[in-house]
Structures are given as structure tokens and as C-alpha cells.
């Protein structure tokens, strides 16, 4: 039985002091009983976020990292730094990183390997554009992203990763994938994982859906057999996130 994960992705929102305030208010309204809850926040807010949720089972993650440990990489942040700041998860390969910052599959694979090496759980993002969906290329495209992401990742390490299927056309648009569309791709991802590894491994890796998840659509999405929770952007900054967590606990 896979435990559901409800992860917030705050993107480039909220200052460090606002982060502390919001998390301090939200933490008492969230029950983590039976569900993993985490917030991925901007790197500069990590230590404050960790402090704000201390004493609870809420976890903190980062939104990105570089694949080298140190050196002349101005502006970048390493796994060592994330770890020291208390991040236990890191989002890798979000479509905004791929599209705006030019991250490719190869770079994303290196980041995943480095996160695993430092025992930070990577939340590996994948998902198609609207054009790819309309051209019927969704499954092939996502399969390619998954195969590349897990290249040189052992079975044991793969079990400590999380995947987030996020169709690009559904991110921040209010246009959520139907539960059937999301289920179809999440099931295809699991099939791809069983080809890379085996059925048992595939059955144990958690696959989340992301893209305009909110308090009204969460329960239906999370009830699908291959959807193990959500990566939540906009709604994770609002009190409704607590209802999304509840939907995760109850489905
Ligand atoms: P959204 O973002 O929930 O605001 O659509 C999801 C994401 O990009 O992770």
C-alpha cells in the first residue's frame, strides 16, 4: 500500500519571513496521520521553513539543486547545502526549469543521481505540452523522460524517489487534467517503471499528479488507482491546502 504524498510547490513566491508566518499558521491545521506532507520552498527560505514546522511531521523540500557539490557555479545551490539547511526532498526537472531555464533530460538525470547520493528524495517531474497531447504523443514523450531520469539509478535507489506527472497545459492554468487523463498517464509511468525495473519496484514508487490541483478536484484525482497524491502549486499557498491534505488522507 503506497502512502499518499501531498507536496506543496511554492515556486518563486513568499519571502523568508512570510514563509515562516504562513507555515506557522498552517502547521496546526494539517494532520499528517497516514499521509506524507511537505512544502518545497525557495532555497533562501529553507532554514526558516524547517524551523517553522519543527515538532511536526511536516517535511521541507527544495525546488531545485545543481549536480555538482561545490565550485565555480555562481548562483547555484548544491545538495550539501540543501541537506545542511534541512531539506529532505527536492523537486527536479519541473517543466518551468525545463522550459524557462533550459534544463534537459541529461542534466536532470545528473541532478537526480546527486540528490540520491545525498539521501535527498527527488520529486522527478515529467509531462507533455498541449501540442504533444493533441498529437497523441503523450505516453511516448513521458516514457522518454522517465527512462532518461532513471538512467544509472539502481532499483534500491529508485524506491526512494517520487514522480510527479504534470501536464504542462494544466500547470497554473486552472485547466486540470480529468482524473481519467491523469490516471492513464500515471498508469503508463508505472508500466514504464516495471519495464526499467520490475513490477514490484514499479508498484512501490509513488506517482503524483500536478497541475491546478485544488480542494474541489483533489479527492477525485487521489482516488484513482495509480495516483498517489499531488504536487500542488498555487493552492499550496492558501488555507485550502489543508483540505487537499485531508483529501489525501481519505483516499
Ligand atoms: P499549479 O502548479 O498547482 O499552480 O498548477 C503545479 C506545479 O507546477 O507544480
Amino acid at each position: 500500500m503506497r502512502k499518499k504524498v501531498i507536496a506543496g510547490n511554492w515556486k518563486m513566491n513568499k519571502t523568508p519571513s512570510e514563509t515562516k508566518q504562513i507555515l506557522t499558521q498552517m502547521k496546526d491545521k494539517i494532520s499528517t496521520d497516514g499521509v506524507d506532507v511537505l512544502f518545497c520552498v525557495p532555497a533562501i527560505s529553507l532554514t526558516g521553513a524547517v524551523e517553522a514546522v519543527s515538532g511536526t511531521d511536516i517535511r521541507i523540500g527544495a525546488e531545485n539543486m545543481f549536480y555538482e557539490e561545490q565550485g565555480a557555479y555562481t548562483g547555484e545551490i548544491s545538495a550539501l547545502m540543501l541537506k545542511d539547511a534541512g531539506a529532505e526532498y527536492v523537486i527536479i526537472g519541473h517543466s518551468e526549469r525545463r522550459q524557462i531555464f533550459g534544463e534537459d533530460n541529461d542534466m536532470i538525470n545528473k541532478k537526480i543521481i546527486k540528490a540520491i547520493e545525498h539521501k535527498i528524495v527527488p520529486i522527478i517531474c515529467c509531462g507533455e505540452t498541449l501540442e504533444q497531447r493533441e498529437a497523441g504523443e503523450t505516453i511516448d514523450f513521458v516514457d522518454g523522460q522517465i527512462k532518461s531520469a532513471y538512467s544509472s539509478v539502481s532499483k534500491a535507489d529508485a524506491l526512494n524517489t517520487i514522480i510527479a506527472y504534470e501536464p504542462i497545459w494544466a500547470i497554473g492554468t486552472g485547466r486540470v487534467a480529468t482524473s481519467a487523463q491523469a490516471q492513464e498517464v500515471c498508469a503508463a509511468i508505472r508500466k514504464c517503471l516495471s519495464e526499467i525495473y520490475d513490477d514490484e519496484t514499479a508498484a512501490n514508487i509513488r506517482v503524483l499528479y500536478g497541475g491546478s490541483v485544488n480542494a474541489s478536484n483533489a479527492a477525485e484525482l487521489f482516488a484513482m488507482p495509480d495516483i498517489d497524491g499531488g504536487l500542488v502549486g498555487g493552492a499550496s499557498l492558501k488555507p485550502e491546502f489543508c483540505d487537499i491534505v485531508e483529501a489525501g488522507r481519505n483516499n
Side-chain angles (χ1 to χ4, degrees):
M1 182 68 185
R2 297 181 295 268
K3 194 176 182 185
K4 291 265 191 309
V5 186
I6 311 297
N9 172 12
W10 279 16
K11 310 194 178 190
M12 197 175 74
N13 291 299
K14 305 300 172 191
T15 63
S17 33
E18 287 168 341
T19 300
K20 269 181 138 173
Q21 259 169 25
I22 296 172
L23 290 180
T24 305
Q25 284 162 10
M26 254 198 209
K27 70 173 182 193
D28 297 330
K29 302 190 181 80
I30 289 175
S31 165
T32 50
D33 201 17
V35 65
D36 288 333
V37 180
L38 57 123
F39 290 91
C40 297
V41 300
I44 196 166
S45 300
L46 283 171
T47 45
V50 169
E51 233 176 271
V53 301
S54 74
T56 75
D57 284 327
I58 299 171
R59 295 289 174 255
I60 298 300
E63 300 175 8
N64 181 33
M65 55 167 258
F66 193 50
Y67 55 75
E68 295 290 353
E69 293 190 350
Q70 58 185 31
Y73 305 102
T74 304
E76 289 298 325
I77 291 176
S78 72
L80 290 170
M81 296 170 189
L82 295 187
K83 193 84 189 164
D84 188 67
E88 295 178 57
Y89 297 79
V90 61
I91 299 173
I92 304 277
H94 189 280
S95 62
E96 287 149 17
R97 301 286 329 160
R98 294 179 190 256
Q99 292 196 317
I100 306 170
F101 301 98
E103 293 192 8
D104 61 16
N105 280 341
D106 183 46
M107 186 184 235
I108 288 161
N109 172 247
K110 286 186 182 151
K111 291 184 176 196
I112 291 165
I113 290 170
K114 189 51 78 176
I116 290 171
E117 194 184 314
H118 288 281
K119 308 228 169 335
I120 302 175
V121 177
I123 302 175
I124 302 164
C125 298
C126 59
E128 80 288 0
T129 62
L130 188 57
E131 294 69 42
Q132 288 166 326
R133 171 157 288 269
E134 285 170 350
E137 295 165 4
T138 299
I139 307 272
D140 280 352
F141 179 72
V142 170
D143 273 9
Q145 288 182 316
I146 294 296
K147 283 184 184 139
S148 169
Y150 284 91
S151 162
S152 306
V153 174
S154 72
K155 186 157 87 172
D157 286 337
L159 287 167
N160 290 318
T161 63
I162 294 174
I163 293 174
Y165 165 57
E166 300 205 302
I168 295 170
W169 47 272
I171 295 178
T173 57
R175 182 175 166 187
V176 65
T178 64
S179 51
Q181 283 172 324
Q183 162 61 25
E184 185 196 12
V185 184
C186 291
I189 290 170
R190 210 174 295 290
K191 183 160 167 279
C192 182
L193 290 170
S194 65
E195 283 160 17
I196 303 172
Y197 300 104
D198 51 46
D199 289 352
E200 200 196 337
T201 309
N204 282 296
I205 295 177
R206 292 178 291 182
V207 182
L208 317 183
Y209 166 79
S212 298
V213 174
N214 60 35
S216 345
N217 58 34
E220 191 186 331
L221 287 161
F222 301 164
M224 302 310 281
D226 285 294
I227 301 180
D228 305 316
L231 182 57
V232 185
S236 69
L237 291 156
K238 303 181 198 153
E240 92 177 272
F241 186 71
C242 307
D243 301 325
I244 299 174
V245 172
E246 280 306 294
R249 293 182 57 222
N250 298 327
N251 280 283

